[in-house]
């Protein structure tokens, strides 16, 4: 093939190992169609309003981050605060003009939770220290909803997680950043944190409200629960994003297989 003055040339392509990183179109279509029905915008009202993302892990149960709903949990007892169910709801199919379907939390909404470490490394905000009482700090909360939306929408089985290939490492994060309609971000180079094997490092774009986002592997299988970003001080003294973090769902399942 001819080449230009810079040595660049056009060549015919053949099969390479890099093609193994491609996403099968049918898997992508089916996977995203399931995901868009199973993720939700989590709304917390009351004196400390908040919002985040969640996704179905059972007929009635949504998984989100503990730090999204922690204001509704009494740190002294680990129980849901009285009357908190009325301030907690989840919006499904929040797709902009298409509308949404809202499910309120049931009175006994708190299924189980694991706190965030009171001052997690690289995460600026401090949270109540509940790690000793729970025995782990995985930043998840399982919420029970009225109406059993999972019977119609399906759910993700945390006992059958996907996996990350550190060579390809492609990850999808479905989320409601800033309370916006559903958005999806995709990025390469996701990997399990060697220092914290329950953590998945990734570089998909997220923002406030993405906490609790659904992380899927390159075959659109559930792999993680997005929960935070980690920032560092750059050479110029400015704080910049280093990486994002998700909790591996296998770790959540091991903490409470029930």
């Amino acid at each position: 093939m001819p080449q230009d003055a810079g040595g660049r040339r056009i060549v015919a392509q053949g099969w390479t190992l890099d093609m193994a990183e491609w996403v099968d179109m049918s898997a992508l279509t089916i996977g995203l169609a399931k995901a868009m029905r199973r993720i939700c915008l989590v709304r917390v009202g009351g004196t400390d309003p908040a919002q985040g993302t969640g996704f179905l892990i059972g007929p009635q149960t949504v998984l989100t981050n503990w730090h999204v709903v922690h204001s509704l949990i009494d740190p002294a007892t680990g129980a849901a605060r009285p009357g908190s169910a009325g301030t907690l709801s989840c919006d499904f199919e929040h797709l902009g003009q298409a509308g949404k379907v809202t499910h309120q939390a049931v009175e006994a909404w708190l299924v189980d939770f694991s706190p965030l470490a009171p001052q997690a490394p690289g995460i600026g905000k401090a949270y109540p220290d509940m790690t000793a009482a729970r025995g782990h700090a995985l930043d998840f909360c399982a919420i029970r909803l009225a109406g059993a939306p999972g019977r119609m929408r399906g759910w993700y089985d945390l006992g059958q997680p996907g996996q990350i290939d550190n060579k390809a490492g492609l990850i999808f994060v479905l989320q409601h950043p800033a309370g916006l309609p559903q958005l999806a971000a995709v990025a390469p180079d996701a990997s399990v944190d060697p220092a914290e094997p329950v953590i998945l490092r990734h570089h998909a774009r997220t923002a406030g409200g993405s906490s609790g986002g659904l992380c899927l592997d390159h075959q659109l299988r559930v792999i993680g629960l997005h929960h935070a970003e980690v920032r560092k001080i750059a050479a110029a003294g400015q704080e910049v994003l280093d990486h994002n973090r998700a909790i591996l769902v296998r770790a959540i399942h091991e903490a409470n297989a029930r």
Side-chain angles (χ1 to χ4, degrees), residues 226-246:
H226 172 74
H227 88 117
E229 64 178 23
V230 175
R231 305 186 74 83
K232 66 179 181 180
I233 304 299
Q238 295 181 326
E239 193 177 69
V240 297
L241 176 67
D242 187 66
H243 62 274
N244 285 328
R245 289 165 48 109

Side-chain angles (χ1 to χ4, degrees), residues 132-245:
R134 302 303 292 178
H136 40 65
L138 298 175
D139 193 21
F140 75 80
C141 186
I143 299 167
R144 184 177 290 115
L145 300 178
R151 296 199 184 280
M152 178 179 68
R153 301 173 181 279
W155 63 84
Y156 292 100
D157 182 353
L158 301 190
Q160 297 182 349
Q163 61 183 2
I164 282 293
D165 179 343
N166 286 341
K167 293 180 180 178
L170 197 63
I171 187 171
F172 296 81
V173 182
L174 281 80
Q175 55 192 293
H176 285 283
L180 292 170
Q182 291 182 19
L183 292 174
V186 60
D189 300 325
S191 63
V192 176
D193 191 326
E196 293 183 88
V198 300
I199 297 296
L200 181 72
R201 289 187 174 202
H202 71 87
H203 301 278
R205 289 183 180 272
T206 58
S210 301
S211 295
L214 170 63
C215 299
L216 303 174
D217 69 6
H218 69 288
Q219 294 186 31
L220 285 299
R221 302 171 299 188
V222 64
I223 187 168
L225 174 73
H226 172 74
H227 88 117
E229 64 178 23
V230 175
R231 305 186 74 83
K232 66 179 181 180
I233 304 299
Q238 295 181 326
E239 193 177 69
V240 297
L241 176 67
D242 187 66
H243 62 274
N244 285 328
R245 289 165 48 109

Side-chain angles (χ1 to χ4, degrees), residues 1-197:
M1 290 287 189
Q3 63 184 27
D4 62 18
R8 294 171 299 185
R9 61 195 180 95
I10 299 172
V11 300
Q13 285 186 298
W15 175 259
T16 68
L17 289 176
D18 291 338
M19 294 178 184
E21 300 177 14
W22 290 349
V23 181
D24 179 83
M25 195 63 181
S26 62
L28 178 65
T29 304
I30 294 170
L32 291 180
K34 289 180 178 178
M36 67 185 289
R37 288 176 55 78
R38 296 175 184 179
I39 76 163
C40 59
L41 172 62
V42 180
R43 295 184 182 274
V44 177
T47 57
D48 189 10
Q51 59 190 15
T53 306
F55 54 91
L56 284 161
I57 59 168
Q60 287 185 279
T61 313
V62 159
L63 188 69
T64 189
N65 287 141
W66 168 82
H67 77 258
V68 172
V69 299
H70 77 92
S71 65
L72 305 183
I73 302 173
D74 186 339
T77 64
R81 296 185 186 277
S84 57
T87 68
L88 179 59
S89 63
C90 294
D91 295 342
F92 291 88
E93 295 183 42
H94 183 26
L95 296 164
Q97 299 301 318
K100 59 188 177 183
V101 179
T102 301
H103 286 262
Q104 198 72 29
V106 299
E107 191 63 31
W109 62 267
L110 183 55
V111 178
D112 193 21
F113 73 91
S114 180
L116 178 63
Q119 187 61 69
I123 299 172
K125 186 175 179 180
Y127 289 91
D129 188 0
M130 303 179 68
T131 54
R134 302 303 292 178
H136 40 65
L138 298 175
D139 193 21
F140 75 80
C141 186
I143 299 167
R144 184 177 290 115
L145 300 178
R151 296 199 184 280
M152 178 179 68
R153 301 173 181 279
W155 63 84
Y156 292 100
D157 182 353
L158 301 190
Q160 297 182 349
Q163 61 183 2
I164 282 293
D165 179 343
N166 286 341
K167 293 180 180 178
L170 197 63
I171 187 171
F172 296 81
V173 182
L174 281 80
Q175 55 192 293
H176 285 283
L180 292 170
Q182 291 182 19
L183 292 174
V186 60
D189 300 325
S191 63
V192 176
D193 191 326
E196 293 183 88

